Amino acid sequence: MAAITDNYSLGLQVELDKIDSELKRLWAQSEGTMTRASLVNLAVYSEVPGSLEKNTQLIAKIAENHACRAIVIGADCKAKANRVEAWISAHCHVTRTGSQQVCSEQISFLLEGPCTSLLPSIVFSHLTSDLTTVKRGRIFPDKCAWLSLRKRKQSSGLCFAI
């Protein structure tokens, strides 16, 4: 269970095209010991260096009381070369009865260079479609497109500066 987060690590590094299959494998390996729970999509975006680790810690705290699928993005738009990396992890806590772990999943992305233009595609392709979406991030004029909500039933959004 290398991808379960106890120490706020980013989790298991995965190839972009294998995110869904690796998440399925994570939940299959934990059958009977962990329950996946998601009540909301939570997207966090930051261009602050080192923000992936800090925001992972924040998500772990939020997930203790609010089950979610978290998408955490760290971006360096000024980098010269394109680079995209991804990780998956689970933030788990024991239920009040102490019988089972309830877990929220997190998908983290590090985007560098001009590839940051892929942000809308990356975020929207990894949302759980039947959940409300909450976004947290510093809003820049060129990022407003990804922060604006698509018109879907039961969608709402909230943006905070970090």
Side-chain angles (χ1 to χ4, degrees):
M1 267 328 129
I4 296 177
T5 306
D6 289 330
N7 59 358
Y8 308 120
S9 75
L10 293 176
L12 176 67
Q13 190 165 15
V14 296
E15 297 294 323
L16 287 177
D17 61 344
K18 304 246 189 289
I19 290 172
D20 290 331
S21 62
E22 291 294 333
L23 283 169
K24 286 178 186 172
R25 186 180 338 175
L26 171 68
W27 297 118
Q29 290 173 345
S30 64
E31 190 175 318
T33 61
M34 299 182 340
T35 299
R36 177 180 157 223
S38 293
L39 298 175
V40 67
N41 288 304
L42 176 60
V44 180
Y45 173 86
S46 179
E47 293 180 1
V48 176
S51 62
L52 276 178
E53 292 79 7
K54 278 183 132 176
N55 288 330
T56 293
Q57 186 174 3
L58 175 67
I59 295 297
K61 295 290 184 195
I62 291 170
E64 289 176 8
N65 296 303
H66 306 286
C68 63
R69 171 179 262 195
I71 301 172
V72 180
I73 303 110
D76 180 358
C77 302
K78 296 176 185 170
K80 301 284 185 227
N82 278 326
R83 185 174 96 168
V84 180
E85 293 184 40
W87 296 263
I88 61 168
S89 61
H91 300 287
C92 302
H93 64 277
V94 178
T95 61
R96 291 184 183 147
T97 62
S99 60
Q100 194 168 15
Q101 292 187 69
V102 176
C103 303
S104 294
E105 60 191 18
Q106 176 176 321
I107 307 169
S108 303
F109 297 96
L110 175 62
L111 306 175
E112 293 182 348
C115 69
T116 57
S117 65
L118 300 173
L119 185 61
S121 298
I122 289 171
V123 171
F124 288 116
S125 67
H126 292 94
L127 295 176
T128 303
S129 62
D130 58 344
L131 298 178
T132 300
T133 301
V134 178
K135 300 167 196 86
R136 182 180 195 275
R138 187 164 193 163
I139 303 170
F140 296 95
D142 59 336
K143 302 297 185 267
C144 289
W146 94 264
L147 288 172
S148 65
L149 292 171
R150 295 190 177 208
K151 293 181 180 179
R152 283 187 292 199
K153 273 189 171 178
Q154 301 176 350
S155 288
S156 64
L158 183 60
C159 300
F160 299 96
I162 55 172

